[in-house]
Amino acid sequence: MQELAQADESCSYLASALTIFVVGASGDLAKKKTYPSLFDLFRNSFLPEKTLICGYARSKKTDDEFRAQIGPYLKGGTDDDKRNFLERCVYRSGAYDSEEDVKSAFVGLRQFEKDTGLPLANRLFYFAIPPSVFVPIGTSLKNAVIGPSESGLAESEGVGWNRLIIEKPFGKDSESFELLHQNMGALYSEDHLYRIDHYLGKEMVKNLMTMRYSNAIFEPLWNRNHISNIQITFKENFGTKGRGGYFDGYGIIRDIIQNHLLQVLTIVAMEPPVAISGENYSNHVRNEKVKVLESIPPVQLEDCVLGQYLAPEDGSEPAYVGDPTVPDDSVTPTFASMVLRINNPRWEGVPFILKAGKALNERKAEVRIQFKQPPGAKAMFPGEGIPPNELVMRLQPDEAVYMKVNVKEPGLKTSPVTSELDLTYKKSFAGAFNVDAYTRLILDVLRGSQAAFVRDDELRAAWKIFTPVLHRIEREKIRPITYAYGSRGPEEADTLLAKMGFKYHADYKWSG
């Protein structure tokens, strides 16, 4: 990675000073994701030599207390790496809606920028906070620090770019998104907002475009003529783990499907962009993603299966409604499987099944593309069942790509059996440095690349797909189907898959 930083022209920011302002620094997201990712960048020479990281939150702490809080979460590197990184981390407390508090916090930061002696100091603002606080802190920063132009103040003050990373959720439906967008848009232009969805930083999601467009075998098959159905799946083998009160206000559709899985769908289904690297490629990629979303009609309740988990038989975990922070009569789904359709020439008639659930039988996220039967196969192999080919991209854990293919059974028989062409990352790239998604995305922000961040028109189109069904579920209080903790989810979800043409191959199990 260090060689890449030295050779890549997109790392020109390394020649300037950098101030990073982490809002909500005392929270779980900051200590578990933001600071460990910044540490990864630091120890691999992706942060400028002159970097200062200021945490800001309402709780009062000294610098040493704050460093002791985040230190245990910094993994990898040497003790010297950690000590040098923590020396660059300071903490200031204040209210989010107080311009005076924010201005006071920046007194020392401005002095740091001046003392570096460098002509420019760039500023990165990370909002590790709930959306309800975006506008108050955004207003305070705009008036007290950034000023009327996000691209920097007067050149005489030596300020370079200002970029803001904001975390999901970006609203709960179309109306709430538009209100949030209107308020934030009044403060900052789209070019300076980086709406982070960490799924877009995952290694295999990043690999989707490279694999599809740099290999001649895939693109000719990537259409309705050859593909029967596509599944995008997210499974967790644990429940809400004490987050039930928060989760109950959103549910699995808003928490996972409307953002993470839908973003993956857009990358799988989009038309080839003008470029996926180089100048202005970010807009080329995001333009194609928006076209996909605008081709998807609103989800219908009849194409959904909703579920909610029960306690396991041994009573080792509570049911969803057994969480003391969840109402006893909650109808919030912890599982959903739904069919989306893309009305364009490439994908008409191909169902995209998005499935996500908690307290299931395993933890995994994957894209599974199931192909149609080869023409004439039934006639050429009379009496034999020919399993469909599948291209599977395992997003987590243990990133992998494998292709299920049919080969002759070894020995004297001529029956086809399923095997795989397997690219398992831990085998093929043993020892490779595979960074966390947040690390990769923060680096994209420093480079000024917005391709892996969600644009406002993407969100608008995404909410149009889901808002009607979400409102109907809530208005009619649709009761989800219960399923056992540790199971595959409601059986009705398998019925929906079969209805969409998916063929389950019970005799095959991936060996990776």
Side-chain angles (χ1 to χ4, degrees):
M1 287 183 67
Q2 189 167 357
E3 292 180 0
L4 178 63
Q6 294 170 343
D8 195 335
E9 293 179 0
S10 64
C11 291
S12 59
Y13 67 89
L14 290 171
S16 302
L18 176 64
T19 299
I20 302 175
F21 195 71
V22 181
V23 182
S26 62
D28 276 356
L29 176 64
K31 69 184 180 184
K32 293 179 179 178
K33 291 295 183 181
T34 310
Y35 277 92
S37 293
L38 291 172
F39 176 60
D40 274 347
L41 293 175
F42 169 77
R43 68 186 181 90
N44 288 281
S45 302
F46 273 93
L47 293 184
E49 183 179 344
K50 302 293 185 180
T51 295
L52 184 64
I53 305 169
C54 179
Y56 184 85
R58 289 175 289 209
S59 54
K60 294 187 180 299
K61 287 181 175 66
T62 65
D63 288 350
D64 287 341
E65 288 172 339
F66 179 69
R67 290 164 182 159
Q69 176 184 312
I70 63 174
Y73 294 92
L74 307 180
K75 306 300 182 185
T78 65
D79 289 342
D80 283 344
D81 288 335
K82 293 177 183 176
R83 184 176 62 254
N84 291 333
F85 175 76
L86 290 172
E87 285 175 355
R88 289 165 166 78
C89 297
V90 298
Y91 180 84
R92 301 292 180 265
S93 63
Y96 295 140
D97 59 355
S98 170
E99 292 179 24
E100 285 303 314
D101 286 355
V102 171
K103 185 176 181 180
S104 176
F106 253 84
V107 171
L109 306 186
R110 291 185 192 277
Q111 189 61 47
F112 158 77
E113 292 171 350
K114 182 179 179 181
D115 291 346
T116 63
L118 295 172
L120 284 180
N122 298 311
R123 292 171 178 169
L124 172 61
F125 302 88
Y126 197 118
F127 285 15
I129 48 175
S132 59
V133 198
F134 286 176
V135 175
I137 187 62
T139 302
S140 298
L141 285 168
K142 182 74 171 182
N143 294 336
V145 178
I146 297 174
S149 172
E150 302 103 306
S151 59
L153 303 176
E155 283 190 19
S156 60
E157 296 187 44
V159 179
W161 46 253
N162 292 282
R163 293 171 184 160
L164 285 76
I165 300 176
I166 58 178
E167 285 274 353
K168 78 172 186 75
F170 311 115
K172 294 183 69 174
D173 55 16
S174 292
E175 183 179 359
S176 57
F177 160 70
E178 290 295 351
L179 180 61
L180 178 62
H181 173 62
Q182 179 182 346
N183 290 336
M184 286 298 289
L187 297 169
Y188 303 102
S189 66
E190 192 67 23
D191 288 343
H192 300 88
L193 292 175
Y194 290 71
R195 299 180 189 86
I196 194 169
D197 184 328
H198 74 274
Y199 256 62
L200 293 177
K202 287 185 175 293
E203 178 68 27
M204 284 308 305
V205 177
K206 287 277 193 179
N207 193 26
L208 273 168
M209 286 189 288
T210 302
M211 189 182 71
R212 177 179 167 188
Y213 300 125
S214 66
N215 293 288
I217 62 173
F218 291 123
E219 189 60 20
L221 305 178
W222 214 267
N223 55 62
R224 64 191 298 272
N225 297 325
H226 300 281
I227 291 175
S228 170
N229 57 82
I230 296 177
Q231 280 189 74
I232 304 174
T233 302
F234 171 94
K235 300 172 75 173
E236 286 182 334
N237 57 358
F238 51 85
T240 53
K241 284 191 170 182
R243 290 179 62 246
Y246 167 82
F247 183 85
D248 203 64
Y250 289 90
I252 198 72
I253 299 174
R254 289 186 176 96
D255 196 40
I256 300 296
I257 294 179
Q258 185 272 342
N259 41 72
H260 299 329
L261 300 194
L262 188 66
Q263 284 294 317
V264 175
L265 179 151
T266 61
I267 295 174
V268 172
M270 71 180 184
E271 293 298 313
V274 173
I276 62 171
S277 63
E279 187 176 354
N280 200 38
Y281 87 95
S282 296
N283 279 330
H284 293 317
V285 171
R286 296 198 291 181
N287 289 345
E288 296 304 330
K289 289 169 65 183
V290 171
K291 290 177 186 176
V292 171
L293 293 171
E294 290 179 341
S295 299
I296 302 175
V299 177
Q300 300 300 308
L301 185 60
E302 293 72 23
D303 287 331
C304 302
V305 173
L306 307 177
Q308 188 184 92
Y309 65 85
L310 301 171
E313 290 184 4
D314 62 6
S316 58
E317 296 286 347
Y320 175 68
V321 294
D323 185 320
T325 63
V326 174
D328 293 340
D329 60 350
S330 172
V331 293
T332 298
T334 61
F335 174 98
S337 181
M338 47 183 49
V339 181
L340 276 66
R341 294 174 173 83
I342 302 175
N343 294 333
N344 66 18
R346 182 184 291 268
W347 296 115
E348 185 176 12
V350 178
F352 284 72
I353 302 105
L354 307 189
K355 181 169 66 176
K358 292 183 174 292
L360 298 175
N361 60 326
E362 61 181 329
R363 174 180 174 263
K364 75 173 182 180
E366 68 178 24
V367 178
R368 184 174 295 265
I369 299 174
Q370 190 167 88
F371 291 86
K372 294 181 176 180
Q373 287 283 336
K378 289 183 179 180
M380 287 186 281
F381 298 93
E384 301 283 357
I386 308 296
N389 299 130
E390 289 183 353
L391 176 64
V392 182
M393 288 155 279
R394 175 69 68 93
L395 309 182
Q396 67 177 31
D398 300 330
E399 294 92 341
V401 181
Y402 62 96
M403 183 84 178
K404 290 170 61 175
V405 296
N406 297 313
V407 297
K408 176 190 168 297
E409 183 177 357
L412 300 176
K413 293 184 178 180
T414 57
S415 300
V417 294
T418 299
S419 185
E420 70 266 336
L421 305 175
D422 187 2
L423 168 60
T424 301
Y425 268 50
K426 65 183 179 182
K427 296 177 183 176
S428 301
F429 302 109
F433 182 57
N434 191 8
V435 299
D436 183 81
Y438 279 91
T439 305
R440 189 177 284 111
L441 290 173
I442 293 174
L443 178 59
D444 279 350
V445 178
L446 295 174
R447 289 169 161 169
S449 170
Q450 291 185 303
F453 296 85
V454 187
R455 207 166 60 187
D456 58 343
D457 52 350
E458 285 185 68
L459 281 166
R460 185 171 293 109
W463 279 121
K464 285 181 180 178
I465 296 168
F466 288 96
T467 292
V469 74
L470 285 167
H471 283 182
R472 182 178 173 189
I473 291 169
E474 291 159 356
R475 183 175 62 251
E476 299 180 14
K477 297 189 181 302
I478 304 296
R479 184 159 294 279
I481 302 162
T482 56
Y483 62 94
Y485 192 110
S487 69
R488 297 182 65 246
E491 292 182 2
E492 288 82 351
D494 291 334
T495 303
L496 178 65
L497 275 177
K499 181 181 175 183
M500 293 300 114
F502 176 74
K503 294 179 173 58
Y504 181 61
H505 189 192
D507 296 332
Y508 170 84
K509 186 172 179 60
W510 178 51
S511 58

